[in-house]
Amino acid sequence: IRMLGPLLAAIEAGADMAIGSKVIHEAWRSRPLRRRVATRAYNLLVRVLDGSRLRDHQAGIKAFRREPLRELLPAIDNPRWPWDTELLVAAQACNLRLVEVPVTTTYQRPSKVSLLRQPAEMANEILRLYFAGVRTSRAPRRVPSVTG
C-alpha cells in the first residue's frame, strides 16, 4: 500500500493512468531469475503483438482517473487476470496519458506461477487481444515514467 502514494501523485500531476512497474525499480535485479524471465517474456509479447509501449503490464498496482476508466471499462471483455493488460493497451490506443511508476513487489516462495502452464495461457491471451484488434498505434512514442 505504500506504493500507492506515488501513483496517486502521478494522477494529480495530470496522468490519466499511473501503473506500477517492477522492471524500472532498482530492486528488479534481485528478483528470482525465473520471475524476471516470465515478466520480460510477457511484456515483450504485449509490446510486439499489441503495440504497447509500457515496460510492465502486471505489477498489480494501478491508479486511474475516473472518467477515462469509466469510458474504457465497458469495452474490456476479459474477466480473467489479463483484463488489465487489455485495459492498458486500449488506453494507449485512445492516446490517454499513462505514466509508469517504479514499484517493488513481494513474491511468494515457492512461486504459484507455473512456468509450464501459465506461459501458454499468457500467450493465448495476448494473441486473443491481437486477433481481436486490440492494439495501440504503432507510433514510436515512449511512455513516461516518474524516473525520467
Side-chain angles (χ1 to χ4, degrees):
I1 196 76
R2 64 185 161 82
M3 298 290 164
L4 189 56
L7 273 73
L8 294 176
I11 296 294
E12 288 178 13
D16 293 309
M17 297 182 179
I19 66 162
S21 177
K22 302 177 298 289
V23 301
I24 62 173
H25 193 280
E26 62 207 28
W28 168 249
R29 294 197 186 278
S30 67
R31 295 178 60 81
L33 179 61
R34 65 184 276 167
R35 298 296 297 243
R36 288 184 307 200
V37 168
T39 297
R40 287 285 193 199
Y42 181 80
N43 289 311
L44 178 64
L45 280 175
V46 177
R47 291 173 63 93
V48 169
L49 292 178
D50 300 325
S52 179
R53 294 173 297 275
L54 298 173
R55 289 163 278 191
D56 192 357
H57 300 83
Q58 293 289 309
I61 185 168
K62 296 164 181 65
F64 307 97
R65 193 171 297 281
R66 183 180 310 157
E67 287 311 310
L69 182 63
R70 280 186 178 166
E71 290 177 24
L72 285 175
L73 279 179
I76 306 306
D77 66 357
N78 194 324
R80 299 183 54 202
W81 59 265
W83 72 270
D84 53 347
T85 297
E86 184 174 351
L87 178 72
L88 295 173
V89 170
Q92 290 173 83
C94 292
N95 292 316
L96 296 180
R97 183 165 182 254
L98 280 73
V99 175
E100 291 189 274
V101 177
V103 297
T104 58
T105 58
T106 57
Y107 51 91
Q108 297 175 338
R109 293 183 196 250
S111 174
K112 293 182 179 181
V113 174
S114 165
L115 290 183
L116 297 176
R117 185 184 78 245
Q118 287 178 307
E121 290 176 10
M122 292 174 175
N124 183 53
E125 291 297 333
I126 295 166
L127 286 169
R128 186 190 66 77
L129 291 176
Y130 175 80
F131 288 116
V134 181
R135 291 187 280 289
T136 68
S137 159
R138 297 288 181 181
R141 292 182 298 150
R142 184 168 94 57
V143 173
S145 70
V146 296
T147 61

